[in-house]
Amino acid sequence: MTVHDVKIVRDVVYGHGLVQRGGHGGPRARLLKLDLYLPADDGSGRARPALVMAFGGAFHRGSKENDAFEGGTNTSVADYCLRFARRGYVACAIDYRLATEDPEPGATQVVSSPSSIPTSRVDVVRRILGLPPATPDMLWRSIESASDDMAAAVHFVRHHARDWHVDTARIALGGFSAGARTALNAAFGEKAPVAAVVSLSGFMDAKDLAHHAPRGCGGPATLLVSAENDLDYVCGAAPGIASHLRDAGLHCERVEVPAAGHFYPAEAAALADCGGARSVPTTVEAAMVDFLSRALAPPVGTVMLDAFADAWNRHDIDALMTCMAPDCVFEASFGPDACGTRYEGTAAVREGFSRAWREYPDAQWRRARHFIAGNRGVSEWTFSGTRASDGVRVETDGLDLFTFEAGRIRIKNSWRKQRS
């Protein structure tokens, strides 16, 4: 790994937010700031991935400089930003409004039911700070304003992409605890234009997630990290969040930190579950590095789609599968459902691809031409082949709609003209 020198620019103003909502004279604007961690070299003109992170502290304490609490057992968001900047990322540790500032949220609503917000951690922190219990409205406004602020930070980074050499298609959100909840809310609720989310002990209500991330909605890849003895609502929600995102057609990976509580360092031993049958030993930081390297991989080029088309014409199943992501999906142009026949996972997709050659032993896809926009792509072609069942010759135009992930094909959705 190349280790980059890092330039840190403190207190960059990325926006403003209203606070002291109930104060004399009404709300006032306060500046929102971030600390920018830039690899010192310019990357030889190549655009870099970016990581925007929010600190933890139950929406009541913490800062972009430090959110290591209870004896300093957790790695601060600032430290994570420094580590990833050394790896070549443009990283930002952001400030956001806290509950104690009486913030005024914007018009977008992420949390549908203030009374459903879990308070076990907030209650502890408010006792530490000598504050009375929070009201549901107080917590709701702080959570909503934090997600507004993080979404604003994303747009600010995009605005400065040329100055900071950021690839706007390769931006990730992340955070710890309240910051992780904010990252999930900004990505799914605020629809911040990001490619990935890293949630370190974050939470999102199941009803809100279902509303903001319905099946087929599209959205970022997500890494959910939680500890074996984490906060009650974090432990309880993590499996359901992962299951919902996967059912919605999104990529989601889970990592658990054994025998740890809510606070754990980047070096903590962990077990990664990418949706398979076994867990892979790792550490928290290694899991983040691996996930982001795949989720923020440079976009697929048409060279790979040319190779993919050539492999179809050679009937080369092994070459085809090297182009597919581990959790790939193939939606065939025919079948009993609205999407045709849906094949999920490498084994099923391999079988679905091979079926085309059994049904049309001389199948060819000619005149392939492609275009790509971000993580989506299209290939147009003319299919020809002789049907094995009755010897009928078929020729028809069609196309594939692709969704890419980490430099490979995550979803191949095939369409053909219907001859009459």
Side-chain angles (χ1 to χ4, degrees), residues 33-353:
K33 301 177 181 180
L34 60 81
D35 289 344
L36 176 65
Y37 295 74
L38 281 172
D41 62 278
D42 64 5
S44 301
R46 291 175 295 180
R48 302 182 185 277
L51 177 60
V52 181
M53 297 199 76
F55 61 87
F59 298 99
H60 280 74
R61 60 178 180 170
S63 69
K64 57 184 171 60
E65 294 84 12
N66 187 25
D67 60 344
F69 301 114
E70 271 70 349
T73 55
N74 63 296
T75 299
S76 69
V77 159
D79 196 357
Y80 278 120
C81 285
L82 179 59
R83 294 179 187 216
F84 276 89
R86 286 174 174 161
R87 292 179 176 273
Y89 288 71
V90 173
C92 301
I94 72 163
D95 175 30
Y96 60 88
R97 290 169 288 168
L98 299 176
T100 50
E101 298 178 272
D102 192 17
E104 181 72 67
T108 56
Q109 185 169 345
V110 173
V111 177
S112 60
S113 175
S115 62
S116 69
I117 298 171
T119 63
S120 58
R121 184 61 192 168
V122 170
D123 293 341
V124 170
V125 171
R126 287 185 71 87
R127 284 196 296 270
I128 292 173
L129 298 177
L131 299 172
T135 66
D137 181 68
M138 182 188 302
L139 291 181
W140 174 79
R141 284 188 285 104
S142 63
I143 292 171
E144 293 286 350
S145 62
S147 65
D148 291 337
D149 295 348
M150 194 165 206
V154 172
H155 291 291
F156 184 80
V157 171
R158 291 174 63 87
H159 180 73
H160 287 277
R162 178 173 295 181
D163 301 330
W164 300 341
H165 303 284
V166 170
D167 184 344
T168 58
R170 301 164 65 203
I171 299 175
L173 292 182
F176 165 65
S177 193
R181 192 191 309 194
T182 299
L184 291 168
N185 286 343
F188 292 104
E190 302 285 349
K191 307 300 182 188
V194 296
V197 181
V198 175
S199 168
L200 302 174
S201 293
F203 168 83
M204 193 168 187
D205 182 80
K207 183 167 67 173
D208 294 331
L209 186 62
H211 175 72
H212 296 304
R215 185 179 180 86
C217 65
T222 303
L223 175 66
L224 299 173
V225 181
S226 59
E228 183 179 3
N229 303 311
D230 216 314
L231 304 179
D232 53 352
Y233 54 88
V234 171
C235 289
I241 294 174
S243 178
H244 175 87
L245 291 176
R246 291 167 182 169
D247 289 345
L250 301 176
H251 181 79
C252 182
E253 301 177 17
R254 280 196 64 200
V255 170
E256 184 176 83
V257 185
H262 186 52
F263 302 100
Y264 43 83
E267 296 78 14
L271 295 172
D273 171 15
C274 302
R278 67 186 184 91
S279 296
V280 179
T282 184
T283 67
V284 173
E285 183 178 11
M288 293 170 63
V289 169
D290 180 59
F291 168 76
L292 288 174
S293 68
R294 290 180 283 108
L296 301 183
V300 173
T302 57
V303 172
M304 191 196 79
L305 293 184
D306 280 333
F308 191 67
D310 289 343
W312 274 105
N313 291 326
R314 296 196 312 271
H315 296 201
D316 187 341
I317 189 62
D318 292 329
L320 286 180
M321 296 310 297
T322 63
C323 299
M324 305 299 293
D327 55 347
C328 54
V329 173
F330 168 42
E331 294 181 344
S333 57
F334 55 89
D337 300 318
C339 65
T341 299
R342 183 179 173 89
Y343 302 88
E344 298 187 52
T346 53
V349 169
R350 188 183 185 96
E351 169 59 23
F353 286 173

